[in-house]
């Protein structure tokens, strides 16, 4: 039976741990000189409603590292749900490729792709979740700190799809995540409830508040994301006002652990949610994190296509 990756909430703690272990092994093999062509002859179809540097390049290079091929399908070529229905796109692509990755606006589109496709579907980003990013984030934290269980992670900013996936990932790995968002930009009650249900077996601690300084106090990792995501451009001015006190800067980091690591899924709007001094400073993990998109996604592809 084919499997998909639509949200980390669909993973169990053991399955997520196995994915991260596979990502570490594939990364080590690549560093040692190359990976066996585990996906030779396989093709990944990539549907993009939103452009992305990291998503496109990391998935294309992941398939190349694994001996396979990636096919880029631009927004104008597909116009998912407009020029052609989502079920029809899913069924047609299933006849041509071995897996589908979709970077979409509406999460319903990736859900429908998975429902109608006969090949695995990977959520490359939706308005609900960003599981591939969270996998790379967890891999990075694990590499830097040697563990995930008990790690104190602070998130400062918008209660968006990235925070949703971090909540699910933290819950499944036993982390202590504290988020600070403006009152009107908190994650939905459904997301928080779902994450806390996942946290039960692992002992993870999840807290949502509105005070950035309180969230980062003693944190080992501080994470932020853009205040205005793609598709929200009309709200940019309002959001800049609402998030003015949520910038990750050197003053905020002074309250965190002395060797705190800083993360951002990129692209960063320097001078808004994060400062140049932090992005380019000694605490920045941003570019290690970006690199790990490649290795985490290789693990997803190998898992879905060979196991």
């Amino acid at each position: 039976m084919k499997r998909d990756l639509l949200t980390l909430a669909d993973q169990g703690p053991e399955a997520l741990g196995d994915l991260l272990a596979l990502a570490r092994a594939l990364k080590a093999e690549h560093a040692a000189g190359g990976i066996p062509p585990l996906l030779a002859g396989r093709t990944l179809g990539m549907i993009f409603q939103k452009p992305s540097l990291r998503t496109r390049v990391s998935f294309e290079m992941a398939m190349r590292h694994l001996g396979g091929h990636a096919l880029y399908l631009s927004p104008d070529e597909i116009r998912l749900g407009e020029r052609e229905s989502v079920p029809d796109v899913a069924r047609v692509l299933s006849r041509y490729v071995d897996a589908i990755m979709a970077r979409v606006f509406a999460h319903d589109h990736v859900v429908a792709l998975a429902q109608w496709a006969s090949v695995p579907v990977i959520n490359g980003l939706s308005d609900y979740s960003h599981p591939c990013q969270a996998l790379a984030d967890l891999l990075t934290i694990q590499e830097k700190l040697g563990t995930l269980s008990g790690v104190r992670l602070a998130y400062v900013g918008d209660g968006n799809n990235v925070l949703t996936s971090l909540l699910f990932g933290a819950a499944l790995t036993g982390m202590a995540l504290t988020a600070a968002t403006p009152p009107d930009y908190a994650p939905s009650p459904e997301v928080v409830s779902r994450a806390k249900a996942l946290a039960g077996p692992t002992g993870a601690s999840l807290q949502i508040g509105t005070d950035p300084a309180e969230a980062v106090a003693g944190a080992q990792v501080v994470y932020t994301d853009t205040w205005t995501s793609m598709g929200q451009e009309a709200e940019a001015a309002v959001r800049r006002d609402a998030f003015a006190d949520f910038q990750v800067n050197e003053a905020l980091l002074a309250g965190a652990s002395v060797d705190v690591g800083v993360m951002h899924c990129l692209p960063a709007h320097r001078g808004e949610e994060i400062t140049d001094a932090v992005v380019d400073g000694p605490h920045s993990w941003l570019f290690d994190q970006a690199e790990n998109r490649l290795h985490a996604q290789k693990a997803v592809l190998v898992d879905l296509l060979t196991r």
Side-chain angles (χ1 to χ4, degrees), residues 4-13 15-16 19 107 123 128-132 134-135 138 161 163-173 190-199:
D4 308 297
L5 177 65
L6 305 187
T7 168
L8 288 191
D10 297 332
Q11 305 289 312
L16 180 55
L19 263 182
H107 188 69
N123 179 4
Y128 178 72
S129 70
H130 200 350
C132 293
L135 280 171
L138 295 173
N161 49 4
L163 178 54
T164 292
S165 292
L166 287 173
L167 283 166
F168 295 157
L172 290 165
T173 56
E190 179 272 332
V191 164
V192 176
S193 175
R194 193 174 184 186
K196 288 187 173 180
L198 293 171

Side-chain angles (χ1 to χ4, degrees), residues 33 50 59-61 63 72 92 97-98 102 114 120 132 151 161 188-189 192 200 212 223 251 278-279 291 293 300:
K50 295 182 175 184
F59 268 109
E60 284 199 11
M61 293 309 299
M63 288 300 291
Y72 172 71
V92 168
V97 301
D98 300 287
C132 293
V151 167
N161 49 4
S188 73
V192 176
Y223 198 121
V278 174
V279 171
E291 178 189 346
R293 286 288 300 275
V300 171

